[in-house]
Amino acid sequence: MSNQPHTTRADPRNDPAAATRVTWPDLAVTIAIAIVLYLIGILLLLQVPQEDTVVAGLAQFAVSGLAPLGAVLLTLAVRKRKLAHFGITRVAPKWLAIAFVIGLGVVAMNIGITSLVSATTDAADVQADYQSAATSGVAGFVGAVLLGAILTPIGEEFLFRGVVFTLLTRYGVWIAVILSAAIFALSHGVNLATPVAFVVGVSAALLMNKTKSVWPGVVVHAVNNASSTIISVIYFQLS
């Protein structure tokens, strides 16, 4: 009989570290649910008359926020995960203030990047319906702010930072920052919004890494989206 000590391989299901981090099955479930919700949203969008750009814009905002938000919340329930696993946790108020300032910097970069890209390429502007909603009157403006500058940032940050970035950190912080930001940017398609979305993604991911919370990223995202809505209204009033 061997005198070597008997060892057993640890069961991942009993690994405390594994139980507190986002896993590939978590991502798979989230993406599957998100696809279903996006498809449902698209089917509903197709029912909106093409000439009704205001309703179309608000509906697009709603889908872009509700689909990822619903996917993450349903994953939390199905996978029996805690909110903190996905970075949905409190953060010190100072980080929200810092995020707001960073958001203003992103807005300045947004204006510069968009101006440069639109002047040097023929990249498409996919914000037309959103702008129509924001400039349609008080109700449209309020709807654009609530859906585009609050709901959408929450839903997208829960998905792209709370799930995707957190999962990728196991391969290194900078890989997670760049790759999650690139995935986020490309999810918007290749257009005028792509480079701006990448900057927002990098900023939000770095804040997520520092604070372990999605909320500073939500603030950066919200400031950028709100600025787009406000700028659209100002431009419409001056033109």
Side-chain angles (χ1 to χ4, degrees):
M1 178 180 293
S2 172
N3 291 324
Q4 294 296 323
H6 177 68
T7 60
T8 58
R9 181 175 297 178
D11 186 342
R13 293 172 297 182
N14 298 324
D15 181 0
T20 59
R21 62 176 179 243
V22 177
T23 65
W24 284 103
D26 291 333
L27 177 63
V29 172
T30 305
I31 295 302
I33 296 174
I35 289 173
V36 172
L37 294 179
Y38 275 120
L39 288 175
I40 293 173
I42 291 171
L43 290 175
L44 293 175
L45 283 172
L46 292 176
Q47 308 307 310
V48 178
Q50 293 184 352
E51 64 274 11
D52 198 342
T53 55
V54 175
V55 173
L58 293 177
Q60 288 178 48
F61 273 137
V63 172
S64 66
L66 289 174
L69 178 60
V72 172
L73 294 180
L74 287 172
T75 298
L76 285 167
V78 171
R79 298 281 297 163
K80 295 181 173 59
R81 308 292 272 159
K82 294 181 179 179
L83 293 174
H85 294 165
F86 291 178
I88 308 171
T89 184
R90 293 181 180 180
V91 66
K94 72 172 184 179
W95 283 109
L96 300 180
I98 291 171
F100 182 81
V101 174
I102 292 174
L104 294 178
V106 170
V107 171
M109 293 182 66
N110 184 347
I111 296 172
I113 292 173
T114 301
S115 300
L116 178 63
V117 173
S118 60
T120 57
T121 73
D122 57 355
D125 183 1
V126 296
Q127 307 293 320
D129 284 345
Y130 298 147
Q131 293 166 358
S132 295
T135 58
S136 63
V138 175
F141 176 76
V142 172
V145 170
L146 292 176
L147 297 175
I150 298 178
L151 176 63
T152 296
I154 292 174
E156 292 186 341
E157 290 304 314
F158 277 24
L159 173 59
F160 290 99
R161 253 56 68 183
V163 179
V164 178
F165 170 77
T166 305
L167 172 68
L168 293 176
T169 53
R170 67 185 62 198
Y171 305 111
V173 171
W174 282 107
I175 289 177
V177 168
I178 300 302
L179 192 53
S180 65
I183 294 170
F184 173 65
L186 292 175
S187 73
H188 291 75
V190 180
N191 47 62
L192 283 176
T194 308
V196 176
F198 182 76
V199 173
V200 170
V202 169
S203 302
L206 289 173
L207 284 166
M208 173 76 177
N209 180 64
K210 183 68 175 179
T211 65
K212 311 306 179 189
S213 172
V214 299
W215 294 114
V218 169
V219 171
V220 172
H221 200 153
V223 170
N224 179 72
N225 285 18
S227 73
S228 297
T229 300
I230 294 170
I231 290 172
S232 295
V233 172
I234 293 174
Y235 180 80
F236 177 78
Q237 294 295 327
L238 294 178
S239 61

